[in-house]
Amino acid sequence: MKSSIWNFWANKYDRLWVQKHSLKPTRNYILSTISNMKSRDKVKILDLGCGPGELIEELNNKFDHLSITGIDFSEGMLEVSKRRNPKASHIKMDVADLHQLQDKFDVIICTHSLPYYKDPENVMKQLNRLLNNSGIVLIGFASGNSLYDKFILSFVKLTTGPANYPSNEAFQLIVSNSFKIDDLKIIKEKFYMPRIAIYTLRKVSI
């Protein structure tokens, strides 16, 4: 995947057609999940593939006990997020280089970037290492769970490049060595939208 594609979309991302029925509902679910976490201490969050920082902005607007780090490999996306979220930390990094991170996090969020990872199993292994023992991982993506979903997602690839949208069965295999699935939320607001799957994961010993 070329960063130039995402650099191109960085300043246009807020206006994409998928915002209303895909990206925004995903962020709403993440916000709801974070609000249900009972913690009086500072919660350290890693937003993997943070893009232009829409989720970081909404988290910071709603909560005052979060310490957020956003990671993206697109310089253009990070520039937008830095302007939007000056208090957040930002790191330009490809997920293939996650082994360079040494911090631990209470919550790791990955929304709609998993299908673009070349080696998702290794990413899961690194997320297991980065997650505190009592932490959770929230991963959301458009899921190729049916022929209709795959048909709709074939059009998405025309604007974002090659991607692999796993089915529920395929995703279970991807995470099986690093996490157990604690919960699964399905979002499908319109019939013409693909199925959005949001998983809550807890780490296992590896």
Side-chain angles (χ1 to χ4, degrees), residues 105-144:
F105 299 91
D106 303 301
V107 181
I108 298 176
I109 301 169
C110 172
T111 56
H112 297 281
S113 61
L114 176 75
Y116 304 97
Y117 299 164
K118 293 181 180 179
D119 188 354
E121 290 88 352
N122 185 59
V123 172
M124 293 303 117
K125 180 179 178 180
Q126 292 302 320
L127 296 188
N128 177 292
R129 179 182 64 83
L130 294 169
L131 186 69
N132 284 324
N133 288 335
S134 60
I136 60 171
V137 175
L138 297 167
I139 297 185
F141 55 91
S143 176

Short mmCIF file of all heavy atoms in Angstrom, two decimals, residues 105-144:
data_model
loop_
_atom_site.label_atom_id
_atom_site.label_comp_id
_atom_site.label_asym_id
_atom_site.label_seq_id
_atom_site.Cartn_x
_atom_site.Cartn_y
_atom_site.Cartn_z
N PHE A 105 -0.01 0.04 26.70
CA PHE A 105 -1.26 0.77 26.56
C PHE A 105 -2.41 0.01 27.22
O PHE A 105 -2.40 -1.22 27.28
CB PHE A 105 -1.56 1.02 25.09
CG PHE A 105 -0.52 1.85 24.39
CD1 PHE A 105 0.55 1.25 23.75
CD2 PHE A 105 -0.61 3.23 24.39
CE1 PHE A 105 1.53 2.01 23.12
CE2 PHE A 105 0.36 4.01 23.77
CZ PHE A 105 1.43 3.39 23.13
N ASP A 106 -3.39 0.79 27.68
CA ASP A 106 -4.58 0.20 28.29
C ASP A 106 -5.62 -0.15 27.25
O ASP A 106 -6.39 -1.10 27.42
CB ASP A 106 -5.19 1.18 29.30
CG ASP A 106 -4.20 1.59 30.38
OD1 ASP A 106 -3.71 0.70 31.09
OD2 ASP A 106 -3.91 2.80 30.49
N VAL A 107 -5.66 0.63 26.18
CA VAL A 107 -6.60 0.40 25.08
C VAL A 107 -5.86 0.61 23.77
O VAL A 107 -5.17 1.63 23.59
CB VAL A 107 -7.81 1.36 25.14
CG1 VAL A 107 -8.77 1.06 23.98
CG2 VAL A 107 -8.54 1.25 26.47
N ILE A 108 -5.98 -0.34 22.87
CA ILE A 108 -5.44 -0.18 21.51
C ILE A 108 -6.61 -0.22 20.55
O ILE A 108 -7.43 -1.15 20.59
CB ILE A 108 -4.42 -1.29 21.17
CG1 ILE A 108 -3.22 -1.22 22.14
CG2 ILE A 108 -3.94 -1.14 19.72
CD1 ILE A 108 -2.21 -2.34 21.93
N ILE A 109 -6.68 0.80 19.71
CA ILE A 109 -7.80 0.94 18.77
C ILE A 109 -7.27 0.84 17.34
O ILE A 109 -6.26 1.45 17.01
CB ILE A 109 -8.51 2.28 18.97
CG1 ILE A 109 -9.04 2.40 20.41
CG2 ILE A 109 -9.65 2.44 17.97
CD1 ILE A 109 -9.51 3.80 20.76
N CYS A 110 -7.97 0.09 16.54
CA CYS A 110 -7.60 -0.05 15.13
C CYS A 110 -8.90 -0.07 14.33
O CYS A 110 -9.63 -1.06 14.33
CB CYS A 110 -6.82 -1.34 14.93
SG CYS A 110 -6.50 -1.78 13.22
N THR A 111 -9.22 1.06 13.70
CA THR A 111 -10.48 1.15 12.97
C THR A 111 -10.24 1.33 11.48
O THR A 111 -9.67 2.31 11.04
CB THR A 111 -11.35 2.31 13.49
OG1 THR A 111 -10.62 3.53 13.41
CG2 THR A 111 -11.76 2.07 14.93
N HIS A 112 -10.67 0.34 10.72
CA HIS A 112 -10.69 0.37 9.25
C HIS A 112 -9.31 0.41 8.59
O HIS A 112 -9.20 0.80 7.43
CB HIS A 112 -11.55 1.56 8.77
CG HIS A 112 -12.97 1.45 9.19
ND1 HIS A 112 -13.89 0.64 8.54
CD2 HIS A 112 -13.65 2.01 10.22
CE1 HIS A 112 -15.06 0.72 9.15
NE2 HIS A 112 -14.95 1.54 10.18
N SER A 113 -8.27 -0.01 9.31
CA SER A 113 -6.96 -0.09 8.67
C SER A 113 -6.45 -1.53 8.56
O SER A 113 -5.56 -1.81 7.76
CB SER A 113 -5.93 0.77 9.42
OG SER A 113 -5.76 0.34 10.75
N LEU A 114 -7.02 -2.45 9.33
CA LEU A 114 -6.57 -3.85 9.30
C LEU A 114 -6.53 -4.45 7.89
O LEU A 114 -5.58 -5.16 7.56
CB LEU A 114 -7.46 -4.70 10.20
CG LEU A 114 -7.16 -6.20 10.18
CD1 LEU A 114 -5.89 -6.50 10.97
CD2 LEU A 114 -8.33 -7.01 10.74
N PRO A 115 -7.53 -4.21 7.02
CA PRO A 115 -7.50 -4.85 5.70
C PRO A 115 -6.29 -4.49 4.84
O PRO A 115 -6.01 -5.17 3.85
CB PRO A 115 -8.80 -4.34 5.04
CG PRO A 115 -9.71 -4.05 6.19
CD PRO A 115 -8.80 -3.49 7.25
N TYR A 116 -5.54 -3.45 5.24
CA TYR A 116 -4.40 -3.01 4.44
C TYR A 116 -3.07 -3.52 4.97
O TYR A 116 -2.03 -3.21 4.41
CB TYR A 116 -4.39 -1.47 4.37
CG TYR A 116 -5.68 -0.91 3.82
CD1 TYR A 116 -6.68 -0.47 4.68
CD2 TYR A 116 -5.93 -0.88 2.45
CE1 TYR A 116 -7.88 0.02 4.19
CE2 TYR A 116 -7.12 -0.40 1.95
CZ TYR A 116 -8.10 0.05 2.83
OH TYR A 116 -9.28 0.52 2.34
N TYR A 117 -3.10 -4.31 6.06
CA TYR A 117 -1.86 -4.82 6.65
C TYR A 117 -1.37 -6.04 5.87
O TYR A 117 -2.14 -6.97 5.62
CB TYR A 117 -2.07 -5.20 8.11
CG TYR A 117 -2.49 -4.06 9.01
CD1 TYR A 117 -3.03 -4.30 10.26
CD2 TYR A 117 -2.35 -2.73 8.60
CE1 TYR A 117 -3.41 -3.26 11.09
CE2 TYR A 117 -2.74 -1.69 9.42
CZ TYR A 117 -3.27 -1.96 10.67
OH TYR A 117 -3.65 -0.93 11.49
N LYS A 118 -0.10 -6.04 5.54
CA LYS A 118 0.47 -7.15 4.79
C LYS A 118 0.59 -8.41 5.64
O LYS A 118 0.46 -9.52 5.14
CB LYS A 118 1.85 -6.76 4.25
CG LYS A 118 1.81 -5.68 3.18
CD LYS A 118 3.21 -5.36 2.69
CE LYS A 118 3.20 -4.28 1.61
NZ LYS A 118 4.57 -3.95 1.13
N ASP A 119 0.86 -8.24 6.93
CA ASP A 119 1.06 -9.39 7.82
C ASP A 119 0.24 -9.17 9.10
O ASP A 119 0.80 -8.86 10.16
CB ASP A 119 2.55 -9.54 8.15
CG ASP A 119 2.86 -10.83 8.90
OD1 ASP A 119 1.91 -11.56 9.26
OD2 ASP A 119 4.05 -11.10 9.14
N PRO A 120 -1.08 -9.31 9.02
CA PRO A 120 -1.92 -9.01 10.18
C PRO A 120 -1.64 -9.89 11.40
O PRO A 120 -1.78 -9.45 12.54
CB PRO A 120 -3.34 -9.20 9.67
CG PRO A 120 -3.20 -10.09 8.47
CD PRO A 120 -1.88 -9.73 7.86
N GLU A 121 -1.22 -11.15 11.18
CA GLU A 121 -0.91 -12.02 12.30
C GLU A 121 0.25 -11.47 13.12
O GLU A 121 0.22 -11.49 14.35
CB GLU A 121 -0.58 -13.44 11.81
CG GLU A 121 -1.77 -14.21 11.26
CD GLU A 121 -1.98 -13.95 9.78
OE1 GLU A 121 -1.31 -13.07 9.21
OE2 GLU A 121 -2.84 -14.63 9.19
N ASN A 122 1.26 -10.95 12.46
CA ASN A 122 2.39 -10.37 13.18
C ASN A 122 1.98 -9.09 13.89
O ASN A 122 2.47 -8.80 14.99
CB ASN A 122 3.55 -10.07 12.22
CG ASN A 122 4.78 -9.56 12.95
OD1 ASN A 122 5.33 -10.24 13.81
ND2 ASN A 122 5.20 -8.35 12.62
N VAL A 123 1.09 -8.30 13.27
CA VAL A 123 0.58 -7.09 13.93
C VAL A 123 -0.11 -7.48 15.23
O VAL A 123 0.09 -6.84 16.27
CB VAL A 123 -0.38 -6.32 13.01
CG1 VAL A 123 -1.05 -5.18 13.77
CG2 VAL A 123 0.38 -5.76 11.81
N MET A 124 -0.92 -8.55 15.20
CA MET A 124 -1.60 -9.00 16.41
C MET A 124 -0.60 -9.40 17.49
O MET A 124 -0.78 -9.11 18.68
CB MET A 124 -2.52 -10.18 16.11
CG MET A 124 -3.70 -9.85 15.22
SD MET A 124 -4.74 -8.52 15.87
CE MET A 124 -4.51 -7.30 14.58
N LYS A 125 0.47 -10.05 17.09
CA LYS A 125 1.51 -10.45 18.04
C LYS A 125 2.12 -9.22 18.71
O LYS A 125 2.34 -9.21 19.94
CB LYS A 125 2.60 -11.25 17.32
CG LYS A 125 3.72 -11.72 18.21
CD LYS A 125 4.75 -12.51 17.43
CE LYS A 125 5.91 -12.95 18.31
NZ LYS A 125 6.93 -13.73 17.53
N GLN A 126 2.36 -8.17 17.93
CA GLN A 126 2.94 -6.94 18.48
C GLN A 126 1.93 -6.22 19.37
O GLN A 126 2.31 -5.65 20.41
CB GLN A 126 3.41 -6.02 17.35
CG GLN A 126 4.61 -6.54 16.58
CD GLN A 126 5.81 -6.80 17.48
OE1 GLN A 126 6.10 -6.03 18.40
NE2 GLN A 126 6.51 -7.90 17.21
N LEU A 127 0.67 -6.23 19.00
CA LEU A 127 -0.35 -5.59 19.83
C LEU A 127 -0.49 -6.30 21.17
O LEU A 127 -0.71 -5.66 22.20
CB LEU A 127 -1.69 -5.55 19.10
CG LEU A 127 -1.75 -4.72 17.82
CD1 LEU A 127 -3.19 -4.62 17.32
CD2 LEU A 127 -1.15 -3.33 18.01
N ASN A 128 -0.35 -7.61 21.15
CA ASN A 128 -0.36 -8.37 22.40
C ASN A 128 0.77 -7.89 23.31
O ASN A 128 0.58 -7.70 24.52
CB ASN A 128 -0.22 -9.86 22.10
CG ASN A 128 -0.14 -10.72 23.35
OD1 ASN A 128 0.82 -10.67 24.11
ND2 ASN A 128 -1.16 -11.53 23.55
N ARG A 129 1.94 -7.68 22.74
CA ARG A 129 3.10 -7.21 23.52
C ARG A 129 2.88 -5.82 24.07
O ARG A 129 3.31 -5.51 25.19
CB ARG A 129 4.35 -7.24 22.62
CG ARG A 129 5.63 -6.77 23.29
CD ARG A 129 6.79 -6.79 22.32
NE ARG A 129 6.60 -5.85 21.22
CZ ARG A 129 6.89 -4.55 21.31
NH1 ARG A 129 7.37 -4.02 22.42
NH2 ARG A 129 6.71 -3.76 20.26
N LEU A 130 2.21 -4.94 23.31
CA LEU A 130 2.04 -3.55 23.69
C LEU A 130 0.88 -3.33 24.66
O LEU A 130 0.77 -2.27 25.27
CB LEU A 130 1.80 -2.70 22.44
CG LEU A 130 2.97 -2.60 21.46
CD1 LEU A 130 2.52 -1.95 20.16
CD2 LEU A 130 4.12 -1.79 22.08
N LEU A 131 0.01 -4.32 24.80
CA LEU A 131 -1.19 -4.17 25.62
C LEU A 131 -0.94 -4.57 27.06
O LEU A 131 -0.32 -5.61 27.34
CB LEU A 131 -2.32 -5.04 25.04
CG LEU A 131 -3.70 -4.88 25.68
CD1 LEU A 131 -4.29 -3.52 25.36
CD2 LEU A 131 -4.63 -6.00 25.19
N ASN A 132 -1.39 -3.75 28.00
CA ASN A 132 -1.36 -4.12 29.41
C ASN A 132 -2.23 -5.35 29.64
O ASN A 132 -3.19 -5.60 28.90
CB ASN A 132 -1.84 -2.97 30.28
CG ASN A 132 -0.79 -1.88 30.42
OD1 ASN A 132 0.40 -2.15 30.48
ND2 ASN A 132 -1.23 -0.62 30.48
N ASN A 133 -1.91 -6.11 30.67
CA ASN A 133 -2.59 -7.39 30.90
C ASN A 133 -4.10 -7.24 31.05
O ASN A 133 -4.85 -8.13 30.66
CB ASN A 133 -2.01 -8.07 32.13
CG ASN A 133 -0.61 -8.62 31.88
OD1 ASN A 133 -0.25 -8.90 30.75
ND2 ASN A 133 0.17 -8.75 32.95
N SER A 134 -4.55 -6.14 31.62
CA SER A 134 -5.98 -5.93 31.82
C SER A 134 -6.61 -5.10 30.71
O SER A 134 -7.79 -4.73 30.80
CB SER A 134 -6.23 -5.24 33.17
OG SER A 134 -5.57 -3.97 33.20
N GLY A 135 -5.85 -4.80 29.67
CA GLY A 135 -6.32 -3.92 28.61
C GLY A 135 -7.18 -4.62 27.57
O GLY A 135 -7.39 -5.84 27.61
N ILE A 136 -7.68 -3.81 26.63
CA ILE A 136 -8.49 -4.35 25.53
C ILE A 136 -8.01 -3.78 24.21
O ILE A 136 -7.42 -2.69 24.15
CB ILE A 136 -9.99 -4.05 25.70
CG1 ILE A 136 -10.25 -2.53 25.74
CG2 ILE A 136 -10.56 -4.75 26.90
CD1 ILE A 136 -11.72 -2.16 25.69
N VAL A 137 -8.26 -4.52 23.16
CA VAL A 137 -8.03 -4.07 21.79
C VAL A 137 -9.40 -3.97 21.12
O VAL A 137 -10.21 -4.90 21.20
CB VAL A 137 -7.12 -5.03 21.01
CG1 VAL A 137 -7.01 -4.60 19.55
CG2 VAL A 137 -5.73 -5.10 21.64
N LEU A 138 -9.64 -2.85 20.46
CA LEU A 138 -10.88 -2.64 19.70
C LEU A 138 -10.52 -2.55 18.23
O LEU A 138 -9.82 -1.61 17.81
CB LEU A 138 -11.58 -1.37 20.17
CG LEU A 138 -12.04 -1.35 21.63
CD1 LEU A 138 -12.43 0.05 22.06
CD2 LEU A 138 -13.20 -2.32 21.84
N ILE A 139 -10.97 -3.50 17.45
CA ILE A 139 -10.64 -3.55 16.03
C ILE A 139 -11.93 -3.55 15.21
O ILE A 139 -12.78 -4.44 15.37
CB ILE A 139 -9.82 -4.79 15.67
CG1 ILE A 139 -8.47 -4.76 16.40
CG2 ILE A 139 -9.60 -4.87 14.16
CD1 ILE A 139 -7.54 -5.88 16.01
N GLY A 140 -12.09 -2.57 14.35
CA GLY A 140 -13.26 -2.48 13.50
C GLY A 140 -12.86 -2.40 12.03
O GLY A 140 -11.89 -1.73 11.69
N PHE A 141 -13.61 -3.08 11.18
CA PHE A 141 -13.31 -3.06 9.75
C PHE A 141 -14.52 -3.55 8.96
O PHE A 141 -15.39 -4.24 9.51
CB PHE A 141 -12.09 -3.93 9.43
CG PHE A 141 -12.21 -5.36 9.90
CD1 PHE A 141 -12.74 -6.33 9.08
CD2 PHE A 141 -11.80 -5.71 11.18
CE1 PHE A 141 -12.86 -7.65 9.51
CE2 PHE A 141 -11.92 -7.02 11.63
CZ PHE A 141 -12.44 -7.98 10.80
N ALA A 142 -14.56 -3.17 7.71
CA ALA A 142 -15.58 -3.70 6.82
C ALA A 142 -15.25 -5.16 6.54
O ALA A 142 -14.15 -5.47 6.10
CB ALA A 142 -15.62 -2.90 5.52
N SER A 143 -16.19 -6.03 6.81
CA SER A 143 -15.92 -7.46 6.78
C SER A 143 -16.48 -8.11 5.52
O SER A 143 -17.66 -7.94 5.19
CB SER A 143 -16.53 -8.12 8.03
OG SER A 143 -16.37 -9.51 7.99
N GLY A 144 -15.65 -8.86 4.84
CA GLY A 144 -16.09 -9.59 3.66
C GLY A 144 -16.76 -10.89 4.05
O GLY A 144 -16.28 -11.98 3.73
#
